Amino acid sequence: MASITLDKITKVYPNDVTAVNGVSLDIRDGEFMILLGPSGCGKSTTLRMIAGLEAISSGDMLIGGRRVNDVDPADRDIAIVFQNYALYPHMTVAKNLAFGLKLRHVPASEIETRINRVAALLGIEPLLGRKPSQLSGGQRQRVALGRALVREPQAFLLDEPLSNLDATLRSSMRTELIKLHHTLGTTIVHVTHDQVEAMTMGERICIMKDGDIVQVGEPMEVYRNPANTFVASFLATPPMNLLPGRIESVGAGALVVAMDGVALPVPTAFQAAYASHSGKPVIVGLRPEDFHLAAGDAARTAPIDLVTITTEVLGPEVILVANLASGAGPEIHARMPRDFRAKIGQPLTLHFDLAEIQLFDPETTRVLPRPAHP
Amino acid sequence: MNQSKTMEAADRRFGWFMSAPSLALLLAVILFPVFWALFTSVHDYTLIAPNFDTFTGAENYISAIQDPAFRHSLGLTAFFVAAVVLFEFLLGFIVALMLNSVERFKPIYYGILLCPLLMNPVIVGLIWRMFLHPSLGIVNYLLTVVGFEPVNWLGSTQMAIWTIIMVDIWHQVSFMIVLLLAGLSAMPKEPYEAARVDGARVYQSFFYITLPLMMPVIIVTLLIRMIFAVKTYDLIYIMTRGGPGVATDLVSYSIYRTAFVSLNVGEASAMSAILLGFILLLTVYLYRYMRSLT
């Protein structure tokens, strides 16, 4: 097991495209770290640089405290699971698992013990004699995982390993990976563009965009305190509603967030933090689950008048798509209980939980710092 | 039911009708000569007495097999085929591996490599006969310029077969390169990355991944090349006429001599049948192997 440290890692491709731009990240020993971002954000390149499959243009890469910039992938003692599994097509499952051990001159008896142990762990014993072409996608996925496990490396690198599986299998593999990490305690770096994987699996999430790290933190911390509008709109479906607004003073130090036809009073706990932005435009971030049908404590909730555009009945919940009553601004998504129904064009009043409001600077898109939840 | 049966029969008749011209042509230019040769091979048919009056049974076959010159030709051809296929494969594979990792100017390399392959063997033979002329050829001139003794490329019984082998390699190696390169570029990239992380060095990746994955392409390429090499005739005719002596008397040329110099068409036909047998064997194996792949 080992920690992995990225110190101002940059990757510039020969065609002058900068894929990763001076990224610094500390992955702790035994941590389950998620690299999350849209395609092209540099997360896979970062993972491949950790593996040694991609040369590092500048910066330092440390695995277990050892600088590995110029160390061959073979000597980094890490294992990688590829998105398309990359099994050796001409070898049986058993030989696929044994290959890395054989190259490292592990004694045959030891190889057999380890293969049997991993095969039992993943439930692939009946497949050991088969070739990859005779396996289903889920089985190949397990073999690819087994090939990594059997090596007992210092760290596992997973490059979107679940993205080729169907939804049910993906969900069960998620649970299995979490269980595996719990059993083995080995450092895992998992690259994904799927925010559900990120939220459910990671001990910490590192969100990347355009070759930069945007935010690193525990899933709920990132979810509740997004660093900017990108993170706010990337995590969760439907994402945080982002609406144009303005902070206005209403005398005696009281502030409101004014949107078209709506004024949300700023909770007292946040007023000091937002005071300096008084009179300036902001982007108002409202999570869909913070809209409620009933008014709560008057100090905590504020009514918002909406006009229904449509409802999406998902089963466990209903997503209400609506406009502000004034008709201005982008669509608002709100999570409603499963029995909620509304006709198209029907006016509604929902109550927003003010303690959950997030405000962003429209120019920098960065969040305006405020105290944690009151 | 009944109607569909008659319609099917009508379809089939129409099919035969449409393919009849090409079938007739194939019959005339391929099957007829083959059967004619097989028929001739069991008769005493010479160009002095071109008739099928004397049925000789297996006599032509026995005398062909007992003929030391023919046996020499068979042995020499086996050696020639083994040498050209082996060297062309090794050289072709090395060049293909190098070209496979080339990023720029690939079409230009392709173009240059394909030039020899596009040339008629007769032209290749003529060019090289000029290049290798003992006193006027550019090869010997260059050798003397850098201080070597001139070589009697085609006149020495020791050297001549190797000269033919070298010219054949020059002519045909591109075939190997193109086929092997096609195989290499169709190889999946991912297993190599997996192998690198698994701890494989470059040579280990080659032996554990490239070779086994390339095996079908390699075997097919070798077999096709062998089938063609067995039939080598034009180069010999242009460059050495089987000489000096019988030093380059490959089996195709030997058959030609038996038929049109010794005028013994019957025995030459028997020799052709024996050669055809060998080639058929290779072809059947190739066909079976290719079927086993799918």
Side-chain angles (χ1 to χ4, degrees):
Chain A
M1 287 194 279
S3 61
I4 299 170
T5 306
L6 286 71
D7 187 14
K8 300 193 195 75
I9 292 286
T10 296
K11 174 71 190 181
V12 184
Y13 281 111
N15 55 0
D16 283 336
V17 171
T18 306
V20 177
N21 187 15
V23 155
S24 295
L25 180 65
D26 271 310
I27 301 164
R28 293 190 281 263
D29 188 2
E31 186 172 27
F32 200 137
M33 172 64 88
I34 304 276
L35 299 184
L36 175 69
S39 53
C41 73
K43 57 190 191 301
S44 276
T45 308
T46 306
L47 192 82
R48 291 169 60 82
M49 284 193 284
I50 300 175
L53 294 172
E54 213 66 74
I56 295 165
S57 305
S58 70
D60 292 317
M61 177 78 70
L62 290 90
I63 298 178
R66 175 173 74 128
R67 188 176 182 276
V68 294
N69 282 43
D70 307 312
V71 175
D72 198 78
D75 302 321
R76 294 193 184 193
D77 197 18
I78 38 87
I80 185 163
V81 177
F82 294 90
Q83 179 173 5
N84 43 22
Y85 318 136
L87 298 175
Y88 309 120
H90 55 297
M91 298 185 198
T92 60
V93 168
K95 285 189 172 150
N96 262 282
L97 297 182
F99 187 63
L101 299 177
K102 250 166 104 185
L103 291 176
R104 288 180 160 76
H105 306 294
V106 176
S109 59
E110 165 80 8
I111 292 180
E112 205 183 322
T113 322
R114 285 210 217 169
I115 288 180
N116 288 337
R117 194 166 59 220
V118 167
L121 185 69
L122 296 172
I124 53 172
E125 298 115 313
L127 311 177
L128 286 175
R130 293 205 208 158
K131 294 233 174 122
S133 57
Q134 298 166 303
L135 303 179
S136 71
Q139 289 170 332
R140 283 179 210 185
Q141 218 283 325
R142 275 162 195 276
V143 175
L145 200 59
R147 186 173 61 182
L149 289 176
V150 83
R151 290 247 322 273
E152 297 175 7
Q154 299 212 46
F156 294 109
L157 309 178
L158 314 180
D159 191 1
E160 309 221 18
L162 307 183
S163 60
N164 287 356
L165 302 179
D166 63 56
T168 332
L169 207 50
R170 195 181 312 163
S171 147
S172 72
M173 278 310 287
R174 275 206 307 262
T175 318
E176 282 203 41
L177 277 174
I178 296 167
K179 267 168 35 191
L180 266 177
H181 178 246
H182 187 75
T183 325
L184 303 172
T186 312
T187 314
I188 295 182
V189 185
H190 180 144
V191 161
T192 182
H193 63 267
D194 181 338
Q195 29 90 11
V196 178
E197 274 175 34
M199 290 298 292
T200 54
M201 299 171 80
E203 289 175 332
R204 281 198 299 159
I205 304 178
C206 167
I207 298 171
M208 296 186 68
K209 188 196 176 210
D210 300 336
D212 291 307
I213 291 181
V214 183
Q215 190 173 9
V216 184
E218 288 171 20
M220 275 320 282
E221 178 193 332
V222 175
Y223 181 77
R224 298 196 80 170
N225 299 301
N228 61 19
T229 53
F230 171 75
V231 178
S233 60
F234 194 71
L235 282 181
T237 344
M240 185 181 260
N241 295 294
L242 297 171
L243 308 162
R246 169 182 294 277
I247 300 184
E248 279 167 12
S249 172
V250 286
L255 299 172
V256 293
V257 179
M259 294 179 292
D260 218 352
V262 183
L264 301 174
V266 174
T268 2
F270 301 162
Q271 286 192 352
Y274 292 150
S276 62
H277 262 76
S278 178
K280 290 185 189 160
V282 289
I283 293 172
V284 187
L286 310 172
R287 284 275 179 209
E289 63 272 27
D290 294 322
F291 291 91
H292 303 288
L293 286 167
D297 177 359
R300 264 191 80 120
T301 62
I304 297 182
D305 293 330
L306 300 168
V307 177
T308 310
I309 296 174
T310 183
T311 54
E312 297 166 354
V313 183
L314 298 180
E317 62 186 1
V318 175
I319 305 295
L320 166 72
V321 186
N323 269 135
L324 289 177
S326 63
E331 288 170 4
I332 291 174
H333 291 78
R335 282 181 200 276
M336 295 286 108
R338 66 179 173 202
D339 297 324
F340 173 84
R341 294 290 182 276
K343 289 200 183 69
I344 293 172
Q346 181 182 330
L348 287 166
T349 302
L350 296 181
H351 302 269
F352 185 77
D353 187 348
L354 294 169
E356 302 295 337
I357 199 166
Q358 290 285 3
L359 300 180
F360 302 89
D361 185 323
E363 271 170 33
T364 64
T365 76
R366 296 199 62 79
V367 73
L368 301 180
R370 62 155 169 78
H373 308 280
Chain B
M1 178 77 186
N2 221 349
Q3 196 187 356
S4 79
K5 246 187 189 165
T6 40
M7 275 182 69
E8 219 173 80
D11 269 1
R12 207 170 295 141
R13 265 202 307 280
F14 186 67
W16 279 108
F17 174 71
M18 289 308 280
S19 33
S22 38
L23 281 177
L25 197 67
L26 276 175
L27 226 64
V29 300
I30 294 178
L31 278 186
F32 172 72
V34 169
F35 283 120
W36 193 86
L38 288 176
F39 189 67
T40 314
S41 74
V42 290
H43 287 87
D44 184 13
Y45 186 104
T46 64
L47 288 182
I48 299 163
N51 58 63
F52 294 107
D53 293 348
T54 324
F55 179 77
T56 56
E59 205 175 279
N60 280 330
Y61 287 88
I62 294 166
S63 65
I65 291 168
Q66 283 174 346
D67 180 1
F70 183 63
R71 298 226 292 249
H72 161 80
S73 286
L74 281 180
L76 189 71
T77 307
F79 169 76
F80 172 80
V81 169
V84 295
V85 171
L86 180 73
F87 285 122
E88 283 168 17
F89 170 68
L90 289 178
L91 196 64
F93 206 10
I94 292 169
V95 175
L97 282 169
M98 291 185 337
L99 274 182
N100 193 39
S101 52
V102 162
E103 301 279 329
R104 300 170 67 186
F105 306 123
K106 222 175 201 168
I108 295 175
Y109 293 127
Y110 259 75
I112 295 171
L113 275 171
L114 281 175
C115 277
L117 205 56
L118 296 176
M119 276 189 222
N120 190 307
V122 174
I123 295 167
V124 173
L126 285 172
I127 291 174
W128 278 99
R129 213 174 67 183
M130 279 195 274
F131 281 179
L132 296 171
H133 190 280
S135 49
L136 305 172
I138 189 166
V139 177
N140 273 352
Y141 168 74
L142 290 175
L143 280 180
T144 48
V145 165
V146 291
F148 284 101
E149 288 290 307
V151 176
N152 192 359
W153 295 103
L154 294 167
S156 141
T157 49
Q158 302 291 312
M159 197 61 210
I161 187 70
W162 286 105
T163 307
I164 298 286
I165 288 171
M166 281 192 282
V167 172
D168 189 81
I169 292 172
W170 180 87
H171 186 202
Q172 299 286 351
V173 71
S174 314
F175 175 81
M176 288 275 190
I177 297 173
V178 170
L179 256 69
L180 292 171
L181 192 55
L184 282 175
S185 53
M187 293 270 276
K189 266 211 173 71
E190 299 81 10
Y192 287 97
E193 297 197 327
R196 278 181 75 190
V197 178
D198 258 351
R201 309 291 167 197
V202 175
Y203 70 93
Q204 286 169 323
S205 287
F206 177 77
F207 283 110
Y208 288 120
I209 297 177
T210 309
L211 265 191
L213 285 181
M214 278 289 286
M215 212 32 98
V217 177
I218 291 172
I219 288 178
V220 169
T221 311
L222 289 183
L223 280 172
I224 293 177
R225 191 61 204 101
M226 275 166 88
I227 290 168
F228 281 100
V230 167
K231 300 190 291 181
T232 304
Y233 168 81
D234 342 39
L235 270 187
I236 303 292
Y237 182 82
I238 296 297
M239 293 185 74
T240 63
R241 307 258 162 148
V246 287
T248 60
D249 194 25
L250 294 186
V251 71
S252 293
Y253 189 75
S254 171
I255 293 169
Y256 159 80
R257 273 195 313 121
T258 309
F260 299 106
V261 180
S262 310
L263 309 182
N264 191 348
V265 179
E267 191 175 330
S269 298
M271 291 172 168
S272 303
I274 295 169
L275 183 62
L276 182 70
F278 280 120
I279 294 173
L280 268 180
L281 224 64
L282 282 174
T283 313
V284 166
Y285 183 74
L286 173 68
Y287 179 73
R288 287 238 178 115
Y289 183 77
M290 285 174 77
R291 292 235 340 198
S292 76
L293 291 178
T294 49

